């Protein structure tokens, strides 16, 4: 599946806050729906490196009216990217179908809230907090450490009463990881299949692509598509992207190759 990114944070790095205006945001959603998006991800808290936290009230004001507007106009599934239980409750009440938490339900009451809401949730790995996470991130073995973190969060979810079939997992590219650590995680992505849950991956336009190809954010489409192919080939189920139409082609092509039955 392709998850299309709709940013409503004024300082979000890639779309530069262009979609804070709701008419523009809805036009963007309409385009993504035309392009075949499977789920729209809406976030009101910037998690780019160095970003400062936003209040729950601000996050609700940014996100909820948009969830309502999309829900009333389009049939598309909606994911809300948040770590805050208050935003989670408001989002689901407004019609969100899924939650995406870059903190993997580590905030107070987040586990209990999601257990009660009963919606699917993506558990993402992040080392540290956005404000300082790119300052010298350290791992013993990045893939094993991220896997171990996700095993522990899956376990915490099960203890809290969140059904296993509601969970997705995500290694969290760019969240407290050096370039070498990000590339290692992508090379070893197939190891995340061992968790037995759908794997979601977000690499679209991220700095790991800029670093390898020496390109600014607006030129990272081709690298993003290469990363999407590598992720899909290794079993990722959901790819979170800015460029829906292009990524849909990548997905359909990868699926055609995967579907070849060598016994025929
Ligand atoms: C990811 C994400 C971001 C990601 C998941 C960006 C909210 C930075 N990245 N959520 N969010 N996975 N699950 O560049 O990789 O889009 S924000």
């Amino acid at each position: 599946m392709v998850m299309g990114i709709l940013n409503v944070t004024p300082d979000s790095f890639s779309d530069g806050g262009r979609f804070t205006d709701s008419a523009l945001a809805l036009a963007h959603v309409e385009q993504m729906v035309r392009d075949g998006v499977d789920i729209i991800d809406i976030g009101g808290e910037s998690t780019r490196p160095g970003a400062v936290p936003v209040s729950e009230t601000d996050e609700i004001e940014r996100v909820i009216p948009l969830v309502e507007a999309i829900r009333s106009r389009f049939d598309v599934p909606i994911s809300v990217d948040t770590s805050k239980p208050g935003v989670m409750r408001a989002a689901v009440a407004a019609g969100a179908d899924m939650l995406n938490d870059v903190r993997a339900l580590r905030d107070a009451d987040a586990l209990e809230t999601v257990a009660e809401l009963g919606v699917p949730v993506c558990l993402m790995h992040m080392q540290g907090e956005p404000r300082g996470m790119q300052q010298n991130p350290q791992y013993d073995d990045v893939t094993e450490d991220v896997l171990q973190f996700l095993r522990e969060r899956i376990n915490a979810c099960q203890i809290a009463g969140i059904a296993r079939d509601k969970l997705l997992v995500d290694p969290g590219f760019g969240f407290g990881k050096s370039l070498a650590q990000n590339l290692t995680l992508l090379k070893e992505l197939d190891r995340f299949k061992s968790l037995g849950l759908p794997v979601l991956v977000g690499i679209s336009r991220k700095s790991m692509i800029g670093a390898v190809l020496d390109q600014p954010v607006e030129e990272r489409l081709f690298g993003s598509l290469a990363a999407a192919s590598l992720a899909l080939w290794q079993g990722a189920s959901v790819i979170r992207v800015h460029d829906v139409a292009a990524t849909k082609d990548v997905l359909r092509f990868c699926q055609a190759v995967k579907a070849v039955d060598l016994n025929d």
Side-chain angles (χ1 to χ4, degrees):
M1 296 206 301
V2 172
M3 172 183 263
I5 302 168
L6 184 68
N7 276 316
V8 293
T9 51
D11 66 342
S12 161
F13 87 107
S14 167
D15 284 318
R18 283 190 295 126
F19 294 107
T20 44
D21 177 82
S22 72
L24 271 178
L26 289 172
H28 186 209
V29 172
E30 190 176 6
Q31 183 62 54
M32 290 197 280
V33 169
R34 264 204 301 270
D35 290 341
V37 77
D38 297 292
I39 181 162
I40 303 268
D41 191 42
I42 310 173
E45 179 205 14
S46 176
T47 44
R48 65 181 289 186
V52 291
V54 294
S55 75
E56 180 169 302
T57 323
D58 285 355
E59 216 181 304
I60 287 179
E61 272 174 28
R62 281 181 198 168
V63 170
I64 302 306
L66 207 46
V67 173
E68 288 168 346
I70 296 168
R71 179 75 309 137
S72 69
R73 288 169 180 79
F74 304 96
D75 211 357
V76 68
I78 300 170
S79 159
V80 170
D81 151 28
T82 187
S83 298
K84 298 187 180 72
V87 181
M88 292 173 178
R89 285 181 195 285
V92 172
D97 302 279
M98 172 184 161
L99 299 167
N100 174 25
D101 185 2
V102 300
R103 294 180 184 79
L105 308 181
R106 283 178 291 164
D107 277 15
D109 294 329
L111 284 166
E112 295 75 9
T113 302
V114 171
E116 202 183 304
L117 292 171
V119 292
V121 61
C122 179
L123 306 172
M124 197 198 79
H125 174 272
M126 169 165 64
Q127 184 178 92
E129 274 291 312
R131 193 183 268 249
M133 67 185 176
Q134 291 308 100
Q135 291 156 20
N136 198 25
Q138 299 279 348
Y139 298 89
D140 291 329
D141 168 338
V142 66
T143 305
E144 186 49 40
D145 291 2
V146 172
L147 276 168
Q148 189 51 32
F149 169 87
L150 291 172
R151 284 184 204 111
E152 282 164 19
R153 296 316 296 159
I154 293 164
N155 195 37
C157 286
Q158 295 200 272
I159 291 166
I162 302 171
R164 210 183 147 79
D165 67 5
K166 301 289 183 201
L167 302 177
L168 296 90
V169 288
D170 185 335
F173 287 97
F175 286 85
K177 284 126 189 149
S178 67
L179 173 60
Q181 289 157 354
N182 282 311
L183 294 174
T184 300
L185 279 169
L186 183 52
K187 185 164 189 181
E188 298 196 296
L189 192 71
D190 60 349
R191 291 179 58 189
F192 287 78
K193 284 187 219 166
S194 68
L195 298 171
L197 294 171
V199 175
L200 189 155
V201 160
I203 308 183
S204 185
R205 301 184 189 172
K206 280 186 180 170
S207 68
M208 63 187 283
I209 293 166
V212 172
L213 301 180
D214 190 22
Q215 287 164 341
V217 67
E218 65 278 7
E219 289 171 19
R220 296 178 190 164
L221 172 60
F222 301 162
S224 299
L225 298 177
S229 312
L230 293 167
L232 287 163
W233 191 249
Q234 294 180 84
S237 298
V238 187
I239 308 287
R240 181 180 178 277
V241 299
H242 302 87
D243 303 283
V244 172
T247 309
K248 274 296 235 188
D249 278 5
V250 167
L251 185 147
R252 284 164 51 222
F253 192 81
C254 287
Q255 275 174 337
V257 180
K258 275 199 177 254
V260 171
D261 186 340
L262 297 174
N263 296 314
D264 283 353

